[in-house]
């Protein structure tokens, strides 16, 4: 990168902190061309050939991709579970996100027992306020008790009044997060009116509870029983149920972390019928095999996430669905728990292992190497899955998710030849292991800008702490107004 001292405002007429990115390969979900891109006042000010004008910074992006910053709509920072709290807060988690080319996360705010939805939101705003995020952050609301403190009324107001335009419901985790079908249906009906997208964790929690209790009663305590007690059809059944309830309620539905062929089928059928249903899978379901949970000793606990890892045919189906459009988004479901002392809580009982795994930093390099480089998806499809689609579905477009004049200058300058070895030794999360330890990829973010400000530069963190902001998202299907040039 060539940096030079800022010229006087009147000389350059570009406003503060302008950046000119020269000669990059600009890739969006629909376009792919070589051009210059000018950033001014945090937004994209111009795109064109040989742009004239001076800037505070000039970046030569020859041989690099210039991508819209990735949007990860499924993270769990500072999130309580199983008597502990995920080990990345909104500082470390967003630093890790930035190194992976993610410039916006949408995280799950949970209504805790005895809290109204607004109190739940206030708790998550406090967590965010205590941290120094370096990328932008939105919240989904996870509803656990619609009967408490006027939650049903509050729910309808969240999209318009709080910029929280997605509701999450868990059909599993009996005894903690699981809701009943009445709650799911009522939430879907509110969403149909309020302009929210409903997200479901689709697994039959009642059936799983029976299988887990039986396994424990028989003395089966090892991590592999996590996988053995959550068969694919428990996921398929809940997925179908949620889709049909959404159809009756007239609400749009987004099925998170689809893991297997059986659960993919109802999503495919619904989409072929033209219903408003979208499916997401996560990086780990493309790479981790169920056999990882069967590793000797307690090692399998690293791979305890829900739904569990499946088999090779499932992974093949997920890749085909990502390419063909049956699945719309690849998220990380970043939910890190340290192996040493947090996963260890379930050493004598697999059902007490905190569920979740890290990955917010790995999504783009893994999808680029194994998806694009190995010919499974195109470069534009990668941008669609990681950036454009989540921005559109979660009320962030057109401000985020694309490269266009007026959009936020959330940019990834990506070197497709840069070697990267994924490892917990070098990643930026607080967690002490990686799902993809030792995996060697070609292609990594080099420089990452959030609203025009570099947060990662040549592989170094350069962000002003706290640069990341809370983003109020638009209602489902509506555009998020672009900010004024200097906003
Ligand atoms: O295992 C997982 N996925 N943990 C995070 C919570 C959830 O179900 O998404
Ligand atoms: Zn889930
Ligand atoms: Zn999750």
């Amino acid at each position: 990168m060539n940096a030079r001292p800022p010229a006087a405002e009147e000389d350059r007429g570009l406003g503060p902190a302008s950046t000119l990115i020269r000669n990059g390969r600009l890739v969006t979900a629909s376009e792919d061309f070589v051009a210059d891109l000018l950033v001014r006042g945090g937004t994209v000010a111009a795109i064109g050939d040989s742009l004239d004008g001076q800037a505070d910074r000039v970046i030569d992006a020859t041989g690099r991709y210039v991508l819209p910053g990735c949007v990860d709509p499924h993270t769990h920072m500072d999130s309580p579970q199983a008597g502990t709290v995920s080990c990345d807060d909104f500082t470390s988690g967003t630093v890790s996100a930035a190194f992976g080319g993610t410039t916006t996360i949408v995280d799950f705010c949970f209504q805790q027992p005895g809290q109204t939805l607004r109190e739940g939101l206030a708790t998550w705003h406090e967590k965010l306020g205590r941290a120094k995020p370096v990328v932008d952050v939105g919240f989904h609301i996870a509803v656990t008790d619609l009967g408490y403190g006027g939650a049903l009324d509050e729910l309808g107001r969240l999209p318009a009044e709080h910029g929280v335009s997605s509701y999450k419901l868990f059909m599993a985790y009996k005894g903690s997060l699981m809701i009943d079908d009445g709650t799911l249906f009522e939430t879907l009906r509110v969403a149909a009116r309020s302009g929210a997208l409903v997200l479901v964790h689709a697994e039959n929690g009642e059936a799983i509870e029976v299988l887990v209790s039986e396994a424990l009663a028989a003395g089966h305590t090892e991590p592999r029983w996590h996988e053995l007690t959550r068969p694919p059809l428990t996921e398929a059944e809940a997925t179908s149920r949620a889709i049909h309830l959404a159809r009756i309620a007239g609400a749009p539905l987004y099925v998170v972390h689809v893991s297997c062929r059986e659960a993919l089928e109802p999503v495919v059928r619904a989409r072929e019928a033209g219903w408003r249903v979208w499916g997401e899978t996560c990086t780990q379901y493309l790479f981790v095999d169920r056999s990882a949970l069967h590793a000797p000793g307690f090692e399998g606990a690293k791979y305890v996430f829900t739904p569990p890892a499946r088999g090779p045919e499932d992974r093949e189906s997920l890749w085909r669905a990502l390419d063909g459009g049956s699945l719309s988004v690849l998220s990380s479901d970043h939910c890190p728990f340290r192996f040493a002392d947090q996963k260890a809580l379930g050493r004598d009982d697999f059902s007490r292992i905190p569920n979740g795994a890290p990955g917010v930093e790995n999504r783009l390099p893994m999808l680029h190497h194994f998806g694009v480089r190995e010919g499974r998806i195109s470069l534009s499809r990668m941008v669609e899955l990681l950036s454009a689609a989540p921005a559109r579905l979660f009320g962030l477009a057109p401000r985020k998710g694309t490269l266009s004049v007026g959009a936020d200058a959330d940019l990834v300058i990506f070197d497709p030849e840069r070697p990267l070895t994924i490892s917990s030794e070098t990643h930026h999360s607080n967690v002490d292991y990686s799902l993809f330890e030792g995996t060697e990829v070609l292609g990594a973010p080099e420089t990452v800008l959030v609203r025009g400000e570099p947060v990662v530069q040549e592989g170094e963190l350069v962000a002003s702490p706290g640069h990341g902001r809370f983003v109020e998202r638009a209602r489902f299907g509506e555009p998020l107004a672009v900010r004024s040039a200097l906003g």
Side-chain angles (χ1 to χ4, degrees):
M1 175 184 292
N2 304 315
R4 57 184 200 78
E9 174 78 6
E10 50 286 7
D11 291 345
R12 55 198 168 98
L14 292 175
S18 54
T19 301
L20 182 57
I21 301 170
R22 285 228 184 266
N23 208 30
R25 180 168 163 195
L26 275 56
V27 186
T28 69
S30 57
E31 288 179 295
D32 185 341
F33 56 97
V34 173
D36 295 349
L37 183 150
L38 178 67
V39 174
R40 188 172 60 208
T43 59
V44 176
I47 295 174
D49 283 336
S50 309
L51 288 181
D52 280 337
Q54 297 172 326
D56 303 321
R57 288 182 213 100
V58 178
I59 300 175
D60 178 6
T62 306
R64 313 285 195 269
Y65 303 152
V66 180
L67 311 174
C70 298
V71 174
D72 192 336
H74 191 156
T75 65
H76 302 271
M77 308 301 178
D78 206 348
S79 190
Q81 195 203 112
T84 185
V85 178
S86 62
C87 66
D88 278 320
D89 62 9
F90 286 98
T91 306
S92 62
T94 58
V95 168
S96 187
F99 275 95
T102 289
T103 52
T104 305
I105 61 169
V106 190
D107 199 87
F108 290 92
C109 155
F110 287 83
Q111 175 194 22
Q112 303 291 315
Q115 271 192 332
T116 66
L117 297 177
R118 261 187 300 209
E119 286 165 351
L121 265 183
T123 304
W124 255 255
H125 276 292
E126 278 163 31
K127 289 173 189 274
L128 185 59
R130 279 198 300 272
K132 302 264 181 249
V134 302
V135 308
D136 286 348
V137 178
F139 291 149
H140 312 281
I141 185 86
V143 177
T144 54
D145 186 359
L146 260 196
Y148 188 82
L152 198 55
D153 289 337
E154 283 184 324
L155 193 59
R157 292 200 295 272
L158 294 183
E161 293 178 16
H162 297 266
V164 173
S165 52
S166 39
Y167 309 151
K168 171 79 178 286
L169 295 145
F170 288 83
M171 299 168 79
Y173 302 129
K174 189 171 179 189
S176 57
L177 301 173
M178 188 173 117
I179 46 76
D180 58 18
D181 285 353
T183 301
L184 172 56
F185 187 57
E186 286 207 82
T187 303
L188 285 159
R189 290 213 302 195
V190 174
R193 292 193 303 270
S194 69
L197 177 62
V198 175
L199 283 66
V200 279
H201 170 130
E203 286 184 306
N204 186 315
E206 294 285 356
I208 288 167
E209 181 65 15
V210 171
L211 297 174
V212 169
S213 302
E214 266 178 16
L216 289 172
H220 301 310
T221 57
E222 308 91 336
R224 68 195 164 104
W225 289 93
H226 175 72
E227 184 261 311
L228 295 169
T229 53
R230 303 184 101 95
L233 285 175
T234 57
E235 188 183 339
E237 183 281 326
T239 305
S240 294
R241 186 161 27 110
I243 287 173
H244 286 103
L245 291 175
R247 178 92 174 124
I248 299 168
L253 184 77
Y254 178 96
V255 184
V256 302
H257 50 42
V258 175
S259 74
C260 58
R261 285 163 295 168
E262 290 85 345
L264 193 52
E265 267 170 32
V267 174
V268 171
R269 275 201 307 276
R271 290 178 63 74
E272 282 173 356
W275 299 354
R276 293 191 300 162
V277 171
W278 292 268
E280 162 203 276
T281 192
C282 313
T283 323
Q284 51 272 32
Y285 297 110
L286 300 175
F287 299 102
V288 180
D289 189 76
R290 55 161 60 98
S291 56
L293 286 102
H294 295 243
F298 192 60
E299 190 70 13
K302 290 179 179 172
Y303 305 94
V304 168
F305 47 78
T306 309
R310 308 292 190 184
E313 282 145 6
D314 297 296
R315 294 196 288 284
E316 220 27 68
S317 300
L318 296 177
W319 276 115
R320 274 201 301 277
L322 286 172
D323 183 35
S326 303
L327 289 174
S328 306
V329 172
L330 185 81
S331 76
S332 70
D333 194 2
H334 181 81
C335 188
F337 295 101
R338 285 180 305 273
F339 183 62
D341 60 320
Q342 295 187 295
K343 290 287 186 180
L345 294 169
R347 197 168 272 283
D348 300 322
D349 174 350
F350 71 91
S351 72
R352 294 183 184 275
I353 300 171
N355 283 207
V360 73
E361 194 165 335
N362 309 133
R363 197 172 59 126
L364 168 60
M366 290 292 280
L367 190 63
H368 170 261
H369 184 96
F370 295 101
V372 178
R373 286 192 84 100
E374 296 200 346
R376 293 184 173 96
I377 58 167
S378 70
L379 198 51
S380 281
R381 183 71 190 152
M382 180 188 83
V383 173
E384 168 74 11
L385 292 165
L386 300 183
S387 183
R392 222 171 32 245
L393 286 166
F394 292 100
L396 293 161
R399 200 192 291 173
K400 297 183 185 290
T402 194
L403 305 174
S404 61
V405 173
D408 281 0
D410 293 351
L411 305 170
V412 181
I413 301 175
F414 185 90
D415 180 354
E417 303 298 331
R418 190 182 175 104
L420 173 72
T421 303
I422 296 176
S423 173
S424 62
E425 299 291 313
T426 48
H427 71 197
H428 300 83
S429 161
N430 284 338
V431 76
D432 58 356
Y433 75 98
S434 167
L435 287 181
F436 313 115
E437 186 66 39
T439 303
E440 293 181 0
V441 297
L442 275 186
E446 192 175 78
T447 294
V448 178
L449 289 87
V450 174
R451 283 175 282 99
E453 183 173 313
V455 294
V456 173
Q457 194 170 296
E458 305 278 353
E460 296 295 323
L461 184 69
V462 294
S464 327
H467 175 65
R469 288 186 193 159
F470 177 71
V471 204
E472 289 193 17
R473 296 177 293 118
R475 293 169 8 130
F476 179 75
E478 294 182 1
L480 184 65
V482 292
R483 297 171 311 119
S484 70
L486 297 177

